Amino acid sequence: MQNNKLSTNPVIYIHNLNHYFGEGQLRKQVLFDINLEINRGEIVLMTGPSGSGKTTLLTLVSGLRSAQSGSLKILGQELCGATTEQLIQTRRNNGYIFQAHNLHKSLTALQNVQMGLEVHGKYSQAEMHDRAAKMLEQVGLDDRLEYYPDNLSGGQKQRVAIARALVSHPAIVLADEPTAALDSKSGRDVVNLMQKLAREQGSTILMVTHDNRILDVADRIVHMEDGKLAKNSTLKQAA
C-alpha cells in the first residue's frame, strides 16, 4: 500500500481520552487513556471483543457524542468541550457506514444517496440528483437508481450506504461493522469498493470490524480490550 501521501498533521488526533457513562454511583468508565493518531488517506481497522469500547470511540470521533476528558481533535478542531455547533460541523465532514445500512425504506436508492448531500444545504436539487446518480454509477448501481431498499440484495443495500457516505467527498469515513451481515463475497466486494473510492477521494477510513476476512485492506490494525488500546496494535508495511 502507498503511504507516501499521508499528511504529517493527523486528521484524527486522540490524546489521553477518557469517557464515562452514567452519573453518580452509576458512573462507569468505558474508555481509558486512549492515544491514537490517524493521518489523511489511512485505512485503520479497529478490532476487539464486544463491549471493549470500539463503537463508543467511533461515536466520539464522529461527533455524535461529546468528548469528556483528554483531547480529541478532528481536522484540527478540539471536540472535548466542543459546542453543539462545532459537533454539527464535525459531523458534516464525516461519512457514516453502519452494519444495518440504515436506508430509508420509503426512499429510492437515488433519494437515499441524495440525503448525504442535503445536510450540507449548499446544493441545488439538480446538483444533488446528478451527484447521487454519478456516485451510484461508481458503486455499480446505475441500473438501480429508482429501486427501493426492499428490492435490493444485502450487498446492494450496503453499496447504496457507501454511496451515501461518500457522495459529499468527506474527509473521514467511519464504518461500524459494515460487512457483518454480508456473505464472504459481498463483504469483500463492499470493502474493496470502500477502499477504492476512499483512495480516489483521499478520505481517511476508521472501521470497526470483527471480520478477519478483510484485515488485509488496512494500513494499520488497532485492537481494543476493556476500554483500552492494546500496545501490540500493528502497522502494516507498504507492499
Side-chain angles (χ1 to χ4, degrees), residues 2 8 35 52 69 102 113 136-137 149 159 170 173 175 199-200:
Q2 299 290 324
T8 56
N35 290 281
S52 60
S69 171
N102 289 1
V113 176
L136 283 167
E137 180 180 353
R159 284 171 177 263
V173 177
R199 290 297 192 208
E200 291 173 356

Side-chain angles (χ1 to χ4, degrees), residues 101 139 141 152-162 178 181-183 185-187 189-190 193:
H101 54 71
V139 301
L141 292 177
L152 298 173
S153 69
Q156 289 171 336
K157 290 175 185 176
Q158 203 63 306
R159 284 171 177 263
V160 175
I162 291 172
L182 302 177
D183 60 43
K185 183 181 185 307
S186 296
D189 289 346
V190 160
L193 181 61

Side-chain angles (χ1 to χ4, degrees), residues 216-235:
D216 59 295
V217 305
D219 295 310
R220 207 162 16 131
I221 300 168
V222 296
H223 184 77
M224 286 200 73
E225 193 94 29
D226 298 326
K228 302 174 183 177
L229 280 183
K231 293 181 179 179
N232 63 346
S233 296
T234 60
L235 173 64

Side-chain angles (χ1 to χ4, degrees), residues 11-229:
V11 172
I12 299 172
Y13 172 85
I14 305 171
H15 182 68
N16 291 346
L17 182 68
N18 296 281
H19 196 73
Y20 307 81
F21 286 150
E23 300 290 340
Q25 292 183 339
L26 297 178
R27 192 174 194 235
K28 178 183 178 183
Q29 188 166 359
V30 292
L31 295 179
F32 299 81
D33 294 323
I34 304 295
N35 290 281
L36 179 65
E37 295 182 14
I38 302 177
N39 294 311
R40 182 180 184 273
E42 269 195 293
I43 298 177
V44 176
L45 300 191
M46 186 159 48
T47 65
S50 297
S52 60
K54 304 184 304 298
T55 296
T56 298
L57 182 57
L58 201 69
T59 58
L60 291 173
V61 170
S62 70
L64 291 173
R65 282 195 178 106
S66 180
Q68 298 168 339
S69 171
S71 180
L72 171 58
K73 294 181 181 178
I74 305 300
L75 299 171
Q77 172 66 56
E78 178 62 66
L79 296 191
C80 191
T83 65
T84 299
E85 181 56 40
Q86 288 169 333
L87 292 175
I88 291 172
Q89 187 56 50
T90 294
R91 292 197 289 269
R92 287 175 177 164
N93 290 318
N94 299 335
Y96 307 90
I97 303 169
F98 299 104
Q99 176 180 340
H101 54 71
N102 289 1
L103 300 181
H104 288 264
K105 290 186 177 183
S106 62
L107 301 180
T108 65
L110 183 69
Q111 291 168 331
N112 267 287
V113 176
Q114 285 181 182
M115 289 186 66
L117 295 170
E118 288 174 356
V119 297
H120 295 273
K122 62 180 181 180
Y123 301 102
S124 69
Q125 198 64 38
E127 285 175 320
M128 288 192 293
H129 180 282
D130 291 346
R131 283 172 175 260
K134 183 176 180 181
M135 197 72 224
L136 283 167
E137 180 180 353
Q138 285 186 268
V139 301
L141 292 177
D142 49 311
D143 60 342
R144 297 289 191 273
L145 301 187
E146 301 303 325
Y147 279 57
Y148 290 91
D150 284 346
N151 296 320
L152 298 173
S153 69
Q156 289 171 336
K157 290 175 185 176
Q158 203 63 306
R159 284 171 177 263
V160 175
I162 291 172
R164 181 180 59 189
L166 293 175
V167 68
S168 63
H169 289 209
I172 301 170
V173 177
L174 303 169
D176 194 359
E177 298 281 2
T179 66
L182 302 177
D183 60 43
S184 179
K185 183 181 185 307
S186 296
R188 167 55 63 176
D189 289 346
V190 160
V191 169
N192 286 346
L193 181 61
M194 286 176 60
Q195 181 185 38
K196 173 179 179 293
L197 294 176
R199 290 297 192 208
E200 291 173 356
Q201 297 183 6
S203 300
T204 297
I205 295 180
L206 177 59
M207 184 192 308
V208 168
T209 186
H210 284 105
D211 192 345
N212 292 330
R213 302 168 300 181
I214 65 172
L215 299 183
D216 59 295
V217 305
D219 295 310
R220 207 162 16 131
I221 300 168
V222 296
H223 184 77
M224 286 200 73
E225 193 94 29
D226 298 326
K228 302 174 183 177
L229 280 183

